[in-house]
Amino acid sequence: MKFLILNGSPRKNGKVSHILHQIEETVIAAGNEACFYDVSALAFKPCAGCMACRSSGTCVFPQDDAHRIARMIQECDGIIVGSPVYWGNVNGQLKCLFDRVVAVMMGESPRGIPIPLHKGKKAVIVTSCTTPFPFNILAGQTTKAEHALKEILSYSGFKVRAKIRLAGTKGMKEIPERICNAAKKAAAGLR
């Protein structure tokens, strides 16, 4: 199986990156293929909202990294997406990427009803925030970011198999063992 891993964190050695790499190692150890991308290192323009991709199935912009990720999404068996929580939502660069690849994520009926293009594919969502538990939930920090990612993935047909939340990261030196175990379990659930 082939998995696409999108790291929405601009910190290549941050908490989200660390958790995603643990999932990547577990997926590879099980004999699968994994392609890891730091979204902050990709070069692409934000969506212009022209809607031309809805009829053509591809973005009209000149070829860039968003086109490459779009092809990877089409070819993968599952996707693992991680993002730090910024103002109760996902990282802006990650959201811009998903805006650009909407044409390969979902189609649209003549009446504007979304048509999922990835039925049967699996997904894992990873989030982290500095807000400590339970306030990350009570204030909607983690839950709103998860909801945004789940909406994108679910409307595209992906079945979210696991959500990994790391709260209270301010001053945190090590990823807690329970989170590391959750990452391994999530990777195992992608089979």
Side-chain angles (χ1 to χ4, degrees), residues 2-13:
K2 185 175 186 178
F3 295 97
L4 174 62
I5 302 172
L6 296 174
N7 177 21
S9 175
R11 296 181 181 179
K12 290 185 181 182
N13 295 313

Side-chain angles (χ1 to χ4, degrees), residues 12-187:
K12 290 185 181 182
N13 295 313
K15 306 290 189 284
V16 168
S17 303
H18 181 79
I19 296 166
L20 291 174
H21 280 300
Q22 284 196 329
I23 294 172
E24 177 187 30
E25 289 170 11
T26 306
V27 163
I28 291 171
N32 300 297
E33 185 180 338
C35 299
F36 191 105
Y37 290 95
D38 290 307
V39 175
S40 64
L42 300 176
F44 62 93
K45 292 169 57 173
C47 178
C50 70
M51 304 300 280
C53 68
R54 295 301 185 147
S55 57
S56 69
T58 186
C59 180
V60 297
F61 284 166
Q63 289 291 312
D64 62 13
D65 286 338
H67 290 93
R68 184 163 50 105
I69 295 299
R71 285 188 296 277
M72 298 290 298
I73 290 169
Q74 289 173 311
E75 297 168 2
C76 76
D77 297 300
I79 190 168
I80 299 105
V81 183
S83 178
V85 176
Y86 290 176
W87 290 97
N89 212 326
V90 299
N91 169 284
Q93 290 171 302
L94 181 62
K95 176 63 169 77
C96 280
L97 178 63
F98 279 124
D99 288 346
R100 274 290 305 281
V101 300
V102 69
V104 301
M105 297 291 282
M106 65 179 201
E108 189 174 64
S109 77
R111 299 180 80 191
I113 307 296
I115 299 170
L117 300 178
H118 299 279
K119 284 187 176 179
K121 293 185 179 183
K122 300 166 188 167
V124 172
I125 296 171
V126 176
T127 57
S128 74
C129 68
T130 57
T131 307
F133 179 81
F135 302 104
N136 66 309
I137 305 296
L138 297 173
Q141 292 291 304
T142 305
T143 53
K144 288 178 183 173
E146 284 176 355
H147 178 77
L149 288 171
K150 186 174 184 219
E151 186 165 321
I152 291 166
L153 296 169
S154 295
Y155 274 112
S156 303
F158 287 91
K159 173 76 173 157
V160 177
R161 304 288 282 205
K163 293 184 260 182
I164 300 170
R165 298 178 180 150
L166 179 59
T169 60
K170 187 172 185 154
M172 184 181 286
K173 303 288 184 219
E174 302 275 328
I175 303 285
E177 188 175 336
R178 65 178 172 72
I179 298 295
C180 295
N181 290 338
K184 292 173 187 170
K185 183 178 178 182

